[in-house]
Amino acid sequence: MKKVKIGVISDTHLYGFDPTFKRIVDRYFKEMDLIIHAGDLVDWKVTEIFRGKDLVVVCGNSDSSNVRVNAPKKRILEIEGYSIGVIHGKGPPFGILKRVRREFPELPHCIIFGHTHRALKKVVNGTLFFNPGAYKKGLMNLFKGSIGILEVERHRGIRAEIINYKLD
C-alpha cells in the first residue's frame, strides 16, 4: 500500500519570491508527493517557489488575474481511493463549513479550504474539513502561521496534521 503525503497551504498573500516562505516550503514540504494551495496565492509568480514539485492550486478571493486564469475555483482530486475537494471559501468565518460543503454536491471524503486564516481539522458526518490556516499570522495576529500535512493511504484513510511554526 502506498501512502501519499500532501503538503497543504493557503492564504500566502505574497506578490513574488519570499525567502522565509521558501525556507518553510523546503523544510516542511521536502518529502511531499503533492502540494495543494487552497487559494489566495495572490500572484502566480509565487508558484516558482514550488518548482519541481507537483502542485494543485485553486483561486481565492484576493488572487490577481494571473492566478484566476491559471487556477480553477474548485477541484476534486482522487487519491488512493479517496475524494478530496479543494476550494478557497468565501464570506465570514461563521458558517463557512456549510458554504464549502454546498460547493460539492457529491460529498468528498475530505474538503480542503482556506479563507479564514484559522487552522481547522474537524470531521462532520464522516467528512474531514481541513483548513491549514495561513502562511503568516492570521486576522489581527490572533492566529499563528500554519500549514498542513495530509497522509492518504488506501484502506487506512486520511490523516491530517496542522503545523504551527515561527517565522524566522
Side-chain angles (χ1 to χ4, degrees):
M1 267 182 256
K2 181 181 180 197
K3 182 188 300 184
V4 178
K5 295 180 80 174
I6 304 167
V8 184
I9 192 156
S10 186
D11 296 281
T12 47
H13 292 277
L14 295 172
Y15 291 93
F17 183 82
D18 180 298
T20 303
F21 182 56
K22 173 81 168 115
R23 284 195 305 276
I24 289 167
V25 168
D26 290 346
R27 178 177 178 191
Y28 292 101
F29 293 165
K30 182 178 181 180
E31 303 297 323
M32 299 297 124
D33 299 301
L34 175 68
I35 297 174
I36 296 173
H37 194 298
D40 280 358
L41 179 72
V42 178
D43 193 311
W44 196 254
K45 290 183 280 189
V46 177
T47 63
E48 291 295 315
I49 290 173
F50 302 105
R51 185 177 293 170
K53 302 177 186 317
D54 287 335
L55 177 66
V56 169
V57 178
V58 294
C59 67
N61 59 298
S62 295
D63 284 321
S64 63
S65 60
N66 67 7
V67 175
R68 292 178 191 278
V69 171
N70 288 296
K73 177 184 167 190
K74 62 184 174 182
R75 307 266 311 253
I76 294 273
L77 308 172
E78 295 292 332
I79 300 173
E80 292 298 307
Y82 295 94
S83 58
I84 299 175
V86 184
I87 191 164
H88 183 64
K90 61 183 177 182
F94 178 77
I96 195 161
L97 296 185
K98 288 181 183 178
R99 287 192 303 278
V100 298
R101 162 58 187 102
R102 281 195 300 260
E103 292 290 329
F104 298 99
E106 293 185 25
L107 188 59
H109 296 98
C110 173
I111 297 176
I112 295 170
F113 67 101
H115 186 61
T116 65
H117 292 215
R118 184 175 190 176
L120 174 77
K121 175 176 72 170
K122 183 176 186 175
V123 176
V124 178
N125 296 326
T127 297
L128 171 63
F129 288 83
F130 190 64
N131 184 332
Y135 158 55
K136 294 184 179 177
K137 289 183 180 181
L139 305 168
M140 299 175 288
N141 291 330
L142 294 175
F143 315 125
K144 296 176 181 176
S146 60
I147 58 171
I149 306 282
L150 289 180
E151 290 183 350
V152 183
E153 192 170 3
R154 187 175 298 278
H155 307 301
R156 291 208 160 176
I158 302 171
R159 188 181 77 72
E161 178 184 5
I162 293 168
I163 298 170
N164 294 301
Y165 56 82
K166 291 184 179 180
L167 297 173
D168 15 274

